[in-house]
Amino acid sequence: MLYGVRPLQSLALAVALAALGCHAQTGAPIVEPGVKLSPDLARRVEVMIRSRSDVSADYVIAVGEPTKSDVPGYAQIVVTFTGDGRTSRPVPFLLSSDGKTLAQFNKFDLSQDPRDKVSATGRPARGGPPNAPVLIVGFDDLECPFCAQMNATLFPAILNRYKDQVRIVYRDFPLEDLHPWAKHAAVDANCLAAASTEGYWNFIDYVHAHAADMAGPEKTQAKANQSLDKIALDEGTRQKVDQAALVACVLKQDDAGVKASEMLAEADPLRLESAPIIFINGEKVIGVVPIETIYRIIDGALTAAGQTPPPTPPLPAAQPAPASTKPGN
């Protein structure tokens, strides 16, 4: 959506509260599905939208042809906003059949378990079993300092308190424009994951804890990639995996799995733009937040699942980053 359209979020609430009451409608309808609005009515819609929002005057507002809606007495119209050579996503409105009421109506499907919103299938996990009452799915960038902070502080505290009640998985979401070696790190991590869950998490912990050193004194992407490959292969040796298969995987650098995870993150319904972001049984948490906030959300998820949360612990002391020794050593 264009930034200029963001004020419509407040417009939606204001118009809906004012307009979705019961209105007696008499006479022949002047708004019908499949029939283009008259120029006068289309302009009334445009003027109303501009007056109830901060849409800049240089944005062109286009009002679409009415279509059938789920609300009796109302047709749906789609409005788009164009400016600076870009066009917004279509924004749906409701228009009464007498042409006197403009409204917005948001319909949400509650039939799906929010936990199923983000898939954890095929990903290495920490904590409880696959049927653990709380599933935490994190979208992770191995070069992101905020992701490293979450990995080093929040997750150890969560696992220490909730133990088998919580299962944690990571999905890849390297922000390549900001972090040039993050995708390479994700590919190496996935090569380990195919052979050893423990090796995968050792790699994740070590890279997060030592991301600043990965590019060496040279501070180059090539040096970082070389360091990542060595860490992955050393950890594979430690885990006694099929070394030939691991070497082949690391050398191939097949990023198809990483790209699939990125597409999942960026597409509907998630539409993620930053990291870290976690989903706690489907509830979205953006960035690094206080541990008390995480506890509250997990406790609510446990209660909703019919389980009793553990006693609230005292505030955790600062914890050292996990995996203080290099994988493979």
Side-chain angles (χ1 to χ4, degrees):
M1 180 178 290
L2 297 178
Y3 288 108
V5 184
R6 290 188 183 277
L8 287 173
Q9 295 173 352
S10 59
L11 168 68
L13 178 61
V15 175
L17 291 177
L20 277 180
C22 297
H23 299 274
Q25 298 181 3
T26 59
I30 63 172
V31 177
E32 296 184 82
V35 179
K36 187 177 180 179
L37 296 181
S38 69
D40 175 66
L41 185 52
R43 185 175 184 279
R44 287 173 184 261
V45 170
E46 177 181 348
V47 170
M48 174 61 73
I49 291 174
R50 290 192 187 277
S51 68
R52 299 297 293 269
S53 69
D54 295 326
V55 176
S56 173
D58 58 357
Y59 277 91
V60 175
I61 297 179
V63 181
E65 185 177 284
T67 59
K68 185 178 180 181
S69 80
D70 295 332
V71 181
Y74 288 82
Q76 177 175 285
I77 56 173
V78 170
V79 177
T80 57
F81 305 80
T82 302
D84 297 327
R86 298 176 298 170
T87 299
S88 73
R89 288 187 165 209
V91 180
F93 286 84
L94 294 175
L95 185 59
S96 62
S97 59
D98 62 5
K100 294 181 179 180
T101 304
L102 179 70
Q104 272 192 304
F105 173 71
N106 293 320
K107 180 180 178 181
F108 302 100
D109 182 7
L110 295 178
S111 62
Q112 182 186 24
D113 186 340
R115 177 186 170 112
D116 299 332
K117 185 177 182 180
V118 187
S119 172
T121 302
R123 298 300 298 168
R126 273 176 165 163
N131 63 347
V134 175
L135 172 66
I136 299 179
V137 179
F139 283 83
D140 187 55
D141 176 320
L142 282 162
E143 198 178 345
C144 164
F146 301 106
C147 299
Q149 181 182 348
M150 176 177 288
N151 187 77
T153 58
L154 292 185
F155 287 138
I158 291 169
L159 292 173
N160 182 60
R161 180 184 182 197
Y162 295 99
K163 298 179 173 58
D164 285 350
Q165 289 183 302
V166 169
R167 183 175 177 87
I168 297 173
V169 303
Y170 277 176
R171 297 201 66 98
D172 303 313
F173 193 47
L175 305 175
E176 299 169 69
D177 292 341
L178 298 174
H179 304 139
W181 55 258
K183 176 175 280 190
H184 193 105
V187 172
D188 283 0
N190 289 336
C191 287
L192 274 169
S196 168
T197 295
E198 181 180 353
Y200 169 85
W201 287 113
N202 286 345
F203 180 89
I204 293 291
D205 290 340
Y206 186 86
V207 173
H208 267 318
H210 299 87
D213 305 324
M214 212 55 56
E218 301 92 332
K219 300 298 180 185
T220 64
Q221 182 176 347
K223 177 59 178 177
N225 293 346
Q226 182 183 12
S227 300
L228 291 163
D229 292 347
K230 186 176 188 310
I231 294 166
L233 295 176
D234 287 349
E235 179 61 23
T237 299
R238 180 185 178 195
Q239 298 298 329
K240 297 181 173 59
V241 305
D242 183 335
Q243 197 70 5
L246 180 60
V247 169
C249 182
V250 168
L251 290 177
K252 186 177 181 182
Q253 284 296 303
D254 182 357
D255 62 0
V258 177
K259 287 182 177 178
S261 183
E262 290 176 307
M263 290 177 62
L264 171 72
E266 294 170 348
D268 289 332
L270 303 185
R271 300 196 60 77
L272 305 187
E273 298 178 349
S274 63
I277 292 178
I278 64 173
F279 290 84
I280 302 175
N281 273 12
E283 183 170 348
K284 184 178 181 180
V285 181
I286 301 175
V288 180
V289 300
I291 189 63
E292 298 84 2
T293 300
I294 299 296
Y295 286 162
R296 175 179 56 78
I297 296 172
I298 295 176
D299 287 353
L302 284 171
T303 301
Q307 299 215 5
T308 302
T312 302
L315 292 179
Q319 298 185 26
S324 57
T325 59
K326 187 174 181 179
N329 290 351

